[in-house]
Amino acid sequence: MTIHERIADDLVAAGIGFITSVPCKQLAGVIAEIDRRPDLLHVPCNKEDEGMGLCAGAWMGGKKPCIIMQNTALGVTVNTLATLIQFYRMPLPMLISYRGELGEPVACQVEMAVHTKALLNQLHIPTYHFHRQADVEELPKILDYTFMCNKPVAILTDASFWGGY
Amino acid sequence: MIRADIFRDIAPVIRDHLVVCNIGIPSQELHAIDDQPTNFYMLGTMGLASSIGFGLALAQDKTVIAIDGDGSVLTNLGTLPTIANNDADNYILLIIDNGSYGSTGDQPTYAGRCTSLAEVAGACGCDHVVECAAEETRAALETAIAARRKTAIVAKCESGNEKHPVIAMDPVVIRDRFMKAVKA
Ligand SMILES: [Mg+2]
C-alpha cells in the first residue's frame, strides 16, 4: 500500500466525506488518490479561506470535512480560522504540506516555514508534525481528536516525511 | 428599495429554506425582520457567505439560499468558478447589489461602477444568472426555487441601511440551532 492510499483510507475510516484542496507538489499523490475514492467528495477551491468556508458549510450539512493545503497559505486563513472555524466551534482537519523544511530546494519557501508553527501556536491550533514515515500511524487518532473537540487541527507533513516513501 | 425592503419582500419565500446570510448589517437586518432557526448569521469572515452556503448545498439536499453582497462577492471572487464547476441544483446565490460597502459606511464598490457581477458570474461559467431590479427579486427567487436549478441572482437596489441591534446570540447557539434545522 502506498502512503497516499493509506492516508485516503484513514480519511474514509474517520468518516470524512468532503474534501477541498489547493494543490502542492508534495500533496499530488494524496489528491490523486482522493479523486479515486467515491466516498470522498473532492471540491477544489481557489483560495484556502474560500475552502474553509466550503468546509464549514459541508460540516453543518452533515459531512465531515478536511482541507488539503500548503503552509504558505496559512496567512490568508488567519481571519477565517479565528472568526468562523474557532468562533462557531467547528472541526477542521488541515492536512498541510510543510514546505521550507529540510530538503527544500526553494529558498522563498523557508520564509513562511519559519512562521508556520508560530502562527499555529498563536492561534492555539493543536499541531502535529509528520517528519518520519512512522508518524502517519497517528493520523486516525488525530482525526478522531479533531471531531471530538470541534477545533481546527493542523497536520504538518514535511519533505523528510514524504521523501521516506 | 434598499436591502431591508428586499428582505421584507422575500421573507415569506426564504423562511422555508436554509439561508446563509452575509456578515454585518445584512445579518442584523434579516435577524430583526424575520429571525428563523433556518438562518445562519455570519458574525465575521467577510466574503464567505457564498462558500459556506455552497458547502452546505453540496453536503445535503435541501435548498440553500446564500445571501451575499456586492462588496463581499468582490472580496471572494474565486467562489464563482467553484460554484460554476460543481453540481448543486439546490443552491441559489442571491447577491444584493447596492453598489456599496453598506456595513462600513456606504463607500462605493467597483460593482457600482463599471464591473458587472452578473457578467463576471457568466464568464466564470455559471449557467443561470439573473440580473433583476429590487422589486423583481421575490419573483426571481420563487422561479429559481421551483426550477430547482443552481442560480445566481444579482438584485440591484439602492444603497442604504436600517438601524438594528448587533446580533447578541452566541455563535455556537446560532450554529447549533441552524444544524438542528438542517437535520429536521
Ligand atoms: Mg453592498
Side-chain angles (χ1 to χ4, degrees), chain A residues 12-53:
Chain A
V12 172
I16 285 169
F18 182 89
I19 294 186
T20 190
S21 69
V22 176
C24 170
K25 231 184 219 176
Q26 288 186 158
L27 299 166
V30 173
I31 292 170
E33 186 58 35
I34 282 163
D35 281 333
R36 284 192 276 273
R37 306 297 175 106
D39 293 341
L40 300 173
L41 174 60
H42 178 209
V43 178
C45 61
N46 298 300
K47 209 167 188 182
E48 294 77 359
D49 57 341
E50 179 211 350
M52 289 183 182

Short mmCIF file of all heavy atoms in Angstrom, two decimals, chain A residues 12-53:
data_model
loop_
_atom_site.label_atom_id
_atom_site.label_comp_id
_atom_site.label_asym_id
_atom_site.label_seq_id
_atom_site.Cartn_x
_atom_site.Cartn_y
_atom_site.Cartn_z
N VAL A 12 -11.25 8.13 4.94
CA VAL A 12 -12.54 7.44 4.78
C VAL A 12 -12.94 6.78 6.11
O VAL A 12 -14.10 6.89 6.54
CB VAL A 12 -12.46 6.38 3.66
CG1 VAL A 12 -13.72 5.53 3.62
CG2 VAL A 12 -12.24 7.06 2.30
N ALA A 13 -11.99 6.12 6.76
CA ALA A 13 -12.30 5.42 8.02
C ALA A 13 -12.74 6.38 9.11
O ALA A 13 -13.53 6.03 9.98
CB ALA A 13 -11.07 4.63 8.47
N ALA A 14 -12.25 7.63 9.06
CA ALA A 14 -12.65 8.63 10.06
C ALA A 14 -14.02 9.21 9.75
O ALA A 14 -14.52 10.05 10.50
CB ALA A 14 -11.60 9.74 10.13
N GLY A 15 -14.61 8.80 8.64
CA GLY A 15 -15.95 9.28 8.30
C GLY A 15 -15.95 10.58 7.51
O GLY A 15 -17.00 11.20 7.34
N ILE A 16 -14.79 10.99 7.03
CA ILE A 16 -14.72 12.23 6.26
C ILE A 16 -15.39 12.02 4.90
O ILE A 16 -15.23 10.96 4.27
CB ILE A 16 -13.25 12.68 6.13
CG1 ILE A 16 -12.80 13.26 7.48
CG2 ILE A 16 -13.06 13.70 5.00
CD1 ILE A 16 -11.34 13.50 7.61
N GLY A 17 -16.20 13.01 4.50
CA GLY A 17 -16.94 12.87 3.25
C GLY A 17 -16.74 14.03 2.30
O GLY A 17 -17.19 13.99 1.16
N PHE A 18 -16.10 15.10 2.79
CA PHE A 18 -15.95 16.31 1.96
C PHE A 18 -14.52 16.82 2.06
O PHE A 18 -14.02 17.07 3.16
CB PHE A 18 -16.91 17.40 2.44
CG PHE A 18 -16.85 18.65 1.61
CD1 PHE A 18 -17.66 18.80 0.48
CD2 PHE A 18 -15.97 19.68 1.93
CE1 PHE A 18 -17.60 19.95 -0.30
CE2 PHE A 18 -15.90 20.84 1.15
CZ PHE A 18 -16.72 20.97 0.03
N ILE A 19 -13.89 16.97 0.91
CA ILE A 19 -12.51 17.45 0.91
C ILE A 19 -12.37 18.60 -0.07
O ILE A 19 -12.88 18.56 -1.20
CB ILE A 19 -11.55 16.31 0.52
CG1 ILE A 19 -11.59 15.24 1.62
CG2 ILE A 19 -10.13 16.83 0.30
CD1 ILE A 19 -10.62 14.12 1.47
N THR A 20 -11.70 19.65 0.38
CA THR A 20 -11.34 20.72 -0.55
C THR A 20 -9.82 20.85 -0.54
O THR A 20 -9.16 20.43 0.41
CB THR A 20 -12.02 22.05 -0.19
OG1 THR A 20 -11.81 22.98 -1.27
CG2 THR A 20 -11.46 22.64 1.09
N SER A 21 -9.28 21.40 -1.61
CA SER A 21 -7.82 21.46 -1.70
C SER A 21 -7.34 22.60 -2.57
O SER A 21 -8.04 23.04 -3.48
CB SER A 21 -7.28 20.14 -2.29
OG SER A 21 -7.64 20.04 -3.66
N VAL A 22 -6.16 23.08 -2.23
CA VAL A 22 -5.33 23.85 -3.16
C VAL A 22 -4.07 23.00 -3.26
O VAL A 22 -3.49 22.62 -2.24
CB VAL A 22 -5.01 25.25 -2.63
CG1 VAL A 22 -4.07 25.99 -3.58
CG2 VAL A 22 -6.29 26.06 -2.44
N PRO A 23 -3.64 22.66 -4.47
CA PRO A 23 -2.58 21.65 -4.58
C PRO A 23 -1.19 22.13 -4.16
O PRO A 23 -0.91 23.32 -4.07
CB PRO A 23 -2.58 21.30 -6.06
CG PRO A 23 -3.23 22.44 -6.75
CD PRO A 23 -4.15 23.10 -5.77
N CYS A 24 -0.34 21.14 -3.85
CA CYS A 24 1.09 21.33 -3.62
C CYS A 24 1.74 20.08 -4.20
O CYS A 24 1.15 19.00 -4.18
CB CYS A 24 1.39 21.45 -2.13
SG CYS A 24 3.15 21.39 -1.74
N LYS A 25 2.96 20.25 -4.72
CA LYS A 25 3.68 19.11 -5.30
C LYS A 25 3.70 17.91 -4.35
O LYS A 25 3.48 16.78 -4.75
CB LYS A 25 5.12 19.54 -5.57
CG LYS A 25 5.63 19.26 -6.97
CD LYS A 25 7.10 19.65 -7.04
CE LYS A 25 7.39 20.30 -8.39
NZ LYS A 25 8.78 20.78 -8.47
N GLN A 26 3.96 18.20 -3.07
CA GLN A 26 4.08 17.11 -2.09
C GLN A 26 2.75 16.39 -1.86
O GLN A 26 2.73 15.28 -1.33
CB GLN A 26 4.59 17.66 -0.74
CG GLN A 26 6.04 18.04 -0.77
CD GLN A 26 6.62 18.45 0.58
OE1 GLN A 26 7.82 18.38 0.76
NE2 GLN A 26 5.81 18.89 1.51
N LEU A 27 1.65 17.07 -2.20
CA LEU A 27 0.33 16.51 -1.93
C LEU A 27 -0.32 15.91 -3.16
O LEU A 27 -1.44 15.41 -3.11
CB LEU A 27 -0.58 17.61 -1.37
CG LEU A 27 -0.12 18.22 -0.05
CD1 LEU A 27 -0.89 19.50 0.25
CD2 LEU A 27 -0.29 17.23 1.10
N ALA A 28 0.40 15.92 -4.29
CA ALA A 28 -0.19 15.48 -5.56
C ALA A 28 -0.69 14.04 -5.48
O ALA A 28 -1.77 13.71 -5.97
CB ALA A 28 0.82 15.65 -6.69
N GLY A 29 0.09 13.18 -4.85
CA GLY A 29 -0.29 11.76 -4.77
C GLY A 29 -1.54 11.55 -3.93
O GLY A 29 -2.41 10.75 -4.29
N VAL A 30 -1.64 12.26 -2.81
CA VAL A 30 -2.82 12.14 -1.95
C VAL A 30 -4.05 12.65 -2.70
O VAL A 30 -5.12 12.03 -2.67
CB VAL A 30 -2.63 12.92 -0.64
CG1 VAL A 30 -3.91 12.93 0.17
CG2 VAL A 30 -1.52 12.32 0.18
N ILE A 31 -3.90 13.79 -3.37
CA ILE A 31 -5.04 14.36 -4.08
C ILE A 31 -5.51 13.41 -5.19
O ILE A 31 -6.71 13.18 -5.36
CB ILE A 31 -4.68 15.76 -4.63
CG1 ILE A 31 -4.51 16.75 -3.47
CG2 ILE A 31 -5.76 16.27 -5.60
CD1 ILE A 31 -3.92 18.10 -3.85
N ALA A 32 -4.57 12.81 -5.90
CA ALA A 32 -4.93 11.85 -6.96
C ALA A 32 -5.66 10.65 -6.37
O ALA A 32 -6.64 10.15 -6.93
CB ALA A 32 -3.68 11.40 -7.71
N GLU A 33 -5.20 10.20 -5.21
CA GLU A 33 -5.84 9.05 -4.56
C GLU A 33 -7.25 9.40 -4.09
O GLU A 33 -8.18 8.58 -4.23
CB GLU A 33 -4.96 8.58 -3.39
CG GLU A 33 -5.42 7.32 -2.73
CD GLU A 33 -5.51 6.12 -3.69
OE1 GLU A 33 -4.69 6.02 -4.61
OE2 GLU A 33 -6.44 5.30 -3.49
N ILE A 34 -7.41 10.60 -3.56
CA ILE A 34 -8.73 11.04 -3.10
C ILE A 34 -9.73 11.06 -4.26
O ILE A 34 -10.90 10.70 -4.10
CB ILE A 34 -8.61 12.43 -2.43
CG1 ILE A 34 -8.05 12.24 -1.02
CG2 ILE A 34 -9.93 13.19 -2.41
CD1 ILE A 34 -7.49 13.48 -0.41
N ASP A 35 -9.24 11.46 -5.43
CA ASP A 35 -10.12 11.51 -6.60
C ASP A 35 -10.54 10.12 -7.06
O ASP A 35 -11.45 9.98 -7.87
CB ASP A 35 -9.44 12.28 -7.74
CG ASP A 35 -9.55 13.78 -7.53
OD1 ASP A 35 -10.50 14.22 -6.87
OD2 ASP A 35 -8.67 14.53 -8.03
N ARG A 36 -9.86 9.09 -6.57
CA ARG A 36 -10.26 7.71 -6.92
C ARG A 36 -11.27 7.14 -5.93
O ARG A 36 -11.72 6.02 -6.10
CB ARG A 36 -9.02 6.80 -6.97
CG ARG A 36 -8.16 7.00 -8.23
CD ARG A 36 -7.12 5.91 -8.39
NE ARG A 36 -5.92 6.18 -7.63
CZ ARG A 36 -4.88 6.91 -8.08
NH1 ARG A 36 -4.91 7.43 -9.28
NH2 ARG A 36 -3.82 7.11 -7.33
N ARG A 37 -11.58 7.90 -4.87
CA ARG A 37 -12.48 7.38 -3.83
C ARG A 37 -13.88 7.97 -3.98
O ARG A 37 -14.07 9.17 -3.74
CB ARG A 37 -11.95 7.73 -2.43
CG ARG A 37 -10.52 7.30 -2.15
CD ARG A 37 -10.41 5.79 -2.21
NE ARG A 37 -9.02 5.38 -2.06
CZ ARG A 37 -8.54 4.83 -0.94
NH1 ARG A 37 -9.32 4.63 0.09
NH2 ARG A 37 -7.27 4.45 -0.89
N PRO A 38 -14.87 7.15 -4.31
CA PRO A 38 -16.23 7.68 -4.46
C PRO A 38 -16.82 8.21 -3.16
O PRO A 38 -17.71 9.06 -3.18
CB PRO A 38 -17.03 6.47 -4.97
CG PRO A 38 -16.18 5.27 -4.71
CD PRO A 38 -14.77 5.71 -4.62
N ASP A 39 -16.30 7.74 -2.00
CA ASP A 39 -16.83 8.21 -0.71
C ASP A 39 -16.37 9.63 -0.37
O ASP A 39 -16.91 10.25 0.54
CB ASP A 39 -16.35 7.29 0.43
CG ASP A 39 -16.96 5.91 0.33
OD1 ASP A 39 -17.98 5.77 -0.38
OD2 ASP A 39 -16.40 4.97 0.94
N LEU A 40 -15.34 10.10 -1.06
CA LEU A 40 -14.78 11.41 -0.74
C LEU A 40 -15.16 12.41 -1.83
O LEU A 40 -14.64 12.34 -2.95
CB LEU A 40 -13.25 11.32 -0.62
CG LEU A 40 -12.71 10.38 0.46
CD1 LEU A 40 -11.19 10.27 0.36
CD2 LEU A 40 -13.10 10.86 1.85
N LEU A 41 -16.08 13.32 -1.52
CA LEU A 41 -16.44 14.37 -2.47
C LEU A 41 -15.32 15.42 -2.44
O LEU A 41 -15.09 16.07 -1.43
CB LEU A 41 -17.78 15.00 -2.09
CG LEU A 41 -18.22 16.21 -2.92
CD1 LEU A 41 -18.36 15.85 -4.40
CD2 LEU A 41 -19.52 16.81 -2.37
N HIS A 42 -14.62 15.55 -3.55
CA HIS A 42 -13.50 16.49 -3.62
C HIS A 42 -13.89 17.70 -4.45
O HIS A 42 -14.21 17.58 -5.63
CB HIS A 42 -12.28 15.78 -4.25
CG HIS A 42 -11.10 16.69 -4.40
ND1 HIS A 42 -10.16 16.53 -5.39
CD2 HIS A 42 -10.70 17.79 -3.69
CE1 HIS A 42 -9.23 17.48 -5.28
NE2 HIS A 42 -9.54 18.26 -4.27
N VAL A 43 -13.88 18.86 -3.81
CA VAL A 43 -14.23 20.12 -4.47
C VAL A 43 -13.04 21.07 -4.36
O VAL A 43 -12.86 21.73 -3.33
CB VAL A 43 -15.49 20.75 -3.81
CG1 VAL A 43 -15.84 22.08 -4.46
CG2 VAL A 43 -16.67 19.80 -3.90
N PRO A 44 -12.20 21.12 -5.39
CA PRO A 44 -11.05 22.04 -5.33
C PRO A 44 -11.52 23.48 -5.15
O PRO A 44 -12.56 23.87 -5.68
CB PRO A 44 -10.38 21.85 -6.69
CG PRO A 44 -10.84 20.51 -7.17
CD PRO A 44 -12.23 20.34 -6.63
N CYS A 45 -10.77 24.27 -4.38
CA CYS A 45 -11.10 25.68 -4.19
C CYS A 45 -9.99 26.54 -4.79
O CYS A 45 -8.95 26.03 -5.18
CB CYS A 45 -11.30 25.99 -2.71
SG CYS A 45 -9.84 25.70 -1.68
N ASN A 46 -10.24 27.84 -4.84
CA ASN A 46 -9.27 28.75 -5.46
C ASN A 46 -8.40 29.47 -4.45
O ASN A 46 -7.37 30.04 -4.79
CB ASN A 46 -10.02 29.76 -6.33
CG ASN A 46 -10.78 29.06 -7.44
OD1 ASN A 46 -10.18 28.38 -8.25
ND2 ASN A 46 -12.09 29.17 -7.43
N LYS A 47 -8.83 29.47 -3.21
CA LYS A 47 -8.05 30.07 -2.13
C LYS A 47 -8.45 29.36 -0.85
O LYS A 47 -9.59 28.94 -0.70
CB LYS A 47 -8.33 31.57 -2.05
CG LYS A 47 -7.15 32.36 -1.52
CD LYS A 47 -7.32 33.85 -1.75
CE LYS A 47 -6.04 34.58 -1.39
NZ LYS A 47 -6.18 36.02 -1.54
N GLU A 48 -7.53 29.29 0.08
CA GLU A 48 -7.75 28.43 1.24
C GLU A 48 -8.83 28.96 2.17
O GLU A 48 -9.51 28.17 2.84
CB GLU A 48 -6.43 28.22 1.99
CG GLU A 48 -5.38 27.43 1.20
CD GLU A 48 -4.67 28.24 0.10
OE1 GLU A 48 -5.00 29.45 -0.08
OE2 GLU A 48 -3.79 27.69 -0.58
N ASP A 49 -9.01 30.28 2.24
CA ASP A 49 -10.09 30.77 3.10
C ASP A 49 -11.45 30.43 2.49
O ASP A 49 -12.39 30.06 3.20
CB ASP A 49 -9.97 32.28 3.41
CG ASP A 49 -9.93 33.15 2.18
OD1 ASP A 49 -9.65 32.65 1.07
OD2 ASP A 49 -10.19 34.36 2.32
N GLU A 50 -11.53 30.51 1.18
CA GLU A 50 -12.75 30.05 0.48
C GLU A 50 -12.99 28.57 0.83
O GLU A 50 -14.12 28.17 1.14
CB GLU A 50 -12.57 30.20 -1.04
CG GLU A 50 -13.77 29.74 -1.85
CD GLU A 50 -13.41 29.18 -3.22
OE1 GLU A 50 -12.25 29.31 -3.66
OE2 GLU A 50 -14.30 28.60 -3.87
N GLY A 51 -11.93 27.78 0.77
CA GLY A 51 -12.04 26.35 1.07
C GLY A 51 -12.55 26.10 2.48
O GLY A 51 -13.36 25.19 2.72
N MET A 52 -12.10 26.91 3.43
CA MET A 52 -12.58 26.74 4.82
C MET A 52 -14.06 27.10 4.93
O MET A 52 -14.79 26.51 5.73
CB MET A 52 -11.73 27.58 5.77
CG MET A 52 -10.33 26.99 5.92
SD MET A 52 -9.33 27.89 7.10
CE MET A 52 -7.79 26.96 6.93
N GLY A 53 -14.51 28.05 4.12
CA GLY A 53 -15.95 28.35 4.07
C GLY A 53 -16.73 27.15 3.57
O GLY A 53 -17.76 26.78 4.13
#
